[in-house]
Every structure is written in structure tokens, then in C-alpha cells.
Amino acid sequence: QVQLVESGGGLVQPGESLQLACAGSGPTFSINAMGWFRQAPGKEREFVAAISASGERTYYSDSMKDRLIISRDNAAKVVYLQMNSLKVEDTAVYYCARRARALVQGTKEASAYDVWGQGTQVTVSS
């Protein structure tokens, strides 16, 4: 019943920026923490960023933390991921995911998320 739809991916040159968006459905969107993951060909799905339900707490991967801003607009039911100074190695499919409402620990583990979007392709190439 709940679905997530990512947008904002595309082809950019190294050093440029993108803002991804994740649009959610349902009246309870605002009570879930949300995360972004990415997966490059031949690699495992990797944590990128997460944000608490209220938006007051944020978490970032070590490899990208100085280039990311995750934010959310609960009234609009949208989570954003601003990515700056993009590198070729950032090329991947980026997925939005909903943190499960459960007594399960985890922020960076994909297993802690129970709803996933279809992904949006980000390609960084000169």
C-alpha cells in the first residue's frame, strides 16, 4: 500500500551536483525514518544516508558524508538527498527506503528497511 518513488537522477560531470527526491504515499509517512542506499554494478547495496522521522537527526556514510545533505518535508511527504562534488565512483542506482517501525536496531543495514523504491540512476562521467 505504501510506495516510494525516486526522481532526480541523471547524467552529470564530475564535480557537479544533484538533488534526488523520494516521494512517499500514505498519511503515516512522517512517522518513519528514511534512508538512501546505492548499488553499483557488481557491488553490494551500500548505505548512503538516513534521517529520523522528525528530520532532527541525520546519518551519513563515511565515504560521502562531507558531500551530502539529507532532508525531508513531511507535509509534502518527500525526502531529499543533495549530493555535491560528485565523483565517477558515485555512479550507481540510488534507492530510497523506509525504516521499519519495529524493535530492530540498525540505521545503515538494509535489513532494517521494509519498503523500497524502484531506484533512480545516477551516472557521473566526463
Side-chain angles (χ1 to χ4, degrees), residues 80-102:
Y80 299 99
L81 181 67
Q82 177 71 38
M83 302 191 293
N84 300 316
S85 301
L86 285 163
K87 305 174 181 179
V88 171
E89 52 263 45
D90 294 323
T91 296
V93 177
Y94 284 72
Y95 296 92
C96 174
R98 184 184 77 172
R99 176 67 168 83
R101 298 185 300 274

Side-chain angles (χ1 to χ4, degrees), residues 59-116:
Y59 310 87
Y60 299 101
S61 71
D62 290 338
S63 63
M64 300 181 70
K65 63 183 183 296
D66 57 344
R67 301 186 290 118
L68 300 173
I69 301 175
I70 187 170
S71 61
R72 65 191 297 164
D73 181 344
N74 283 339
K77 297 182 174 62
V78 180
V79 177
Y80 299 99
L81 181 67
Q82 177 71 38
M83 302 191 293
N84 300 316
S85 301
L86 285 163
K87 305 174 181 179
V88 171
E89 52 263 45
D90 294 323
T91 296
V93 177
Y94 284 72
Y95 296 92
C96 174
R98 184 184 77 172
R99 176 67 168 83
R101 298 185 300 274
L103 298 176
V104 177
Q105 299 298 315
T107 300
K108 300 182 177 182
E109 299 83 4
S111 60
Y113 297 80
D114 63 358
V115 179
W116 295 79

